Amino acid sequence: MQLFVNDLTVIDFSYLCPERGMVGESWIVDIILDGSLNEQSMVLDFGRVKKQIKRIIDGAVDHKLAVPAEHAYTHVTHHDDGNSYWVDFMRPEQRSIHLFCPADAFAFIDAQRVTMASVTDYLRAVIKRELPDNVQGLELQLRAEEIPGAFYHYTHGLKKHDGNCQRIAHGHRSRIYIALNGTRSESLEQQWASTWQDIYLGSEEDVVPVAQLQRSQNAQHVTAQSHVGYSYIADQGLFELLVPVAENYIIPTDSTVECIATYLAQTIKRSHPNESIQVTGFEGVGKGAIGYA
């Protein structure tokens, strides 16, 4: 007997890619359980699937940075506090990425690359440990939202958030709508999607000099000419990041979706002063904010 739940959850996270750098992603999760009926004549109660298995998936990957643990670029160093890691992703040509974060900010994927297949294997192993004995089979399907228009991948951190959004390197794959005087402008949507493709959206107040960061030995070569440094303390601990200049975009506010939509509307207004601007920004799948100028 099989039990399925489509759209069980959406995992919003970022991952390290040798070519693209730090990539924000949003994947929808579908699940199929294969097993015998229990004493309730069910494979597993839908309520339990939606709560327990969603909790497991969210705890394993959601709002984390997925690190390809077996890639040659990946170097992980444990801090003496026992709760923090340095992760250095040693891409060549001054494109390396460096983090110092609490351990819970990372998901270490036992693969050379973070892909839907490798994350599926990772999640399947985590979930199976907590399933009841009557459930013998587990099938996961990860899929991206179908977006007919412009979209971009971004990574950010929200230090003021009281949940996992405070982690400095988690992200989203997000569509974008831009309207001038009530009429959508696909050219502007594509322009901004291209500008922010695979970008780190950082807040101006979190930028710090490179020399002030707790860099590992692998990050000693980094300079202000090649990288932008970020650091902040949130409820979960100290978060620090060094990201290549070419893969970074600083905004003057927090990087909540509300602030992103407002920033875009105000920025576009400067080049279209006689038109009313409406920007619908998305944070992953099915949620977002609208900014006006």
Side-chain angles (χ1 to χ4, degrees), residues 2-6 30-33 46 49:
Q2 290 186 322
L3 176 76
F4 69 90
V5 179
N6 293 332
D30 302 326
I31 189 169
I32 298 176
L33 301 176
F46 278 118
V49 173

Side-chain angles (χ1 to χ4, degrees), residues 28-281:
I28 302 165
V29 182
D30 302 326
I31 189 169
I32 298 176
L33 301 176
D34 195 335
S36 56
L37 300 183
N38 61 18
E39 66 279 0
Q40 297 175 310
S41 298
M42 300 176 179
V43 175
L44 192 63
D45 182 83
F46 278 118
R48 187 173 174 187
V49 173
K50 292 179 179 179
K51 292 180 180 179
Q52 179 183 4
I53 297 184
K54 180 183 183 303
R55 174 185 55 79
I56 296 169
I57 293 172
D58 290 348
V61 177
D62 192 54
H63 285 76
K64 296 192 177 195
L65 178 68
V67 179
E70 296 181 6
H71 197 282
Y73 290 168
T74 301
H75 297 265
V76 180
T77 307
H78 294 238
H79 189 263
D80 290 343
D81 66 7
N83 187 50
S84 301
Y85 294 155
W86 281 282
V87 171
D88 300 290
F89 198 58
M90 303 303 293
R91 299 160 70 211
E93 300 175 356
Q94 296 186 323
R95 295 181 301 129
S96 58
I97 298 170
H98 309 272
L99 301 103
F100 178 76
C101 301
D104 285 346
F106 302 107
F108 294 101
I109 309 299
D110 292 328
Q112 292 194 7
R113 285 181 174 268
V114 176
T115 64
M116 283 189 178
S118 61
V119 173
T120 296
D121 290 342
Y122 173 77
L123 288 174
R124 185 185 295 114
V126 172
I127 296 169
K128 277 187 173 180
R129 293 198 293 264
E130 300 195 38
L131 290 177
D133 293 339
N134 69 298
V135 179
Q136 289 88 38
L138 168 66
E139 181 180 338
L140 288 171
Q141 180 181 354
L142 305 181
R143 55 186 171 88
E145 178 188 20
E146 294 185 9
I147 301 177
F151 64 90
Y152 61 99
H153 301 253
Y154 74 99
T155 300
H156 68 155
L158 304 174
K159 69 174 181 291
K160 299 171 187 175
H161 194 269
D162 58 5
N164 293 333
C165 290
Q166 67 188 259
R167 294 167 179 167
I168 201 168
H170 74 277
H172 314 273
R173 173 182 181 265
S174 300
R175 65 176 71 195
I176 182 172
Y177 298 151
I178 299 173
L180 305 182
N181 293 328
T183 302
R184 277 186 64 185
S185 172
E186 293 185 6
S187 62
L188 278 174
E189 292 170 0
Q190 291 292 345
Q191 174 188 324
W192 279 99
S194 176
T195 299
W196 281 358
Q197 184 67 9
D198 299 339
I199 202 72
Y200 187 81
L201 287 180
S203 298
E204 190 174 88
E205 68 180 20
D206 298 330
V207 176
V208 298
V210 170
Q212 291 185 13
L213 297 180
Q214 299 194 59
R215 291 176 290 165
S216 71
Q217 288 300 313
N218 288 305
Q220 294 302 310
H221 68 286
V222 170
T223 68
Q225 286 69 46
S226 62
H227 287 69
V228 178
Y230 294 94
S231 178
Y232 58 73
I233 296 175
D235 288 344
Q236 294 181 7
L238 173 64
F239 293 86
E240 296 191 339
L241 168 68
L242 284 161
V243 63
V245 170
E247 298 169 5
N248 179 80
Y249 191 105
I250 299 172
I251 62 176
T253 63
D254 293 328
S255 58
T256 63
V257 68
E258 296 92 337
C259 290
I260 291 171
T262 300
Y263 171 81
L264 283 173
Q266 294 174 345
T267 302
I268 293 167
K269 182 71 171 182
R270 289 197 288 269
S271 57
H272 297 81
N274 299 319
E275 298 174 277
S276 62
I277 313 298
Q278 177 180 322
V279 174
T280 303

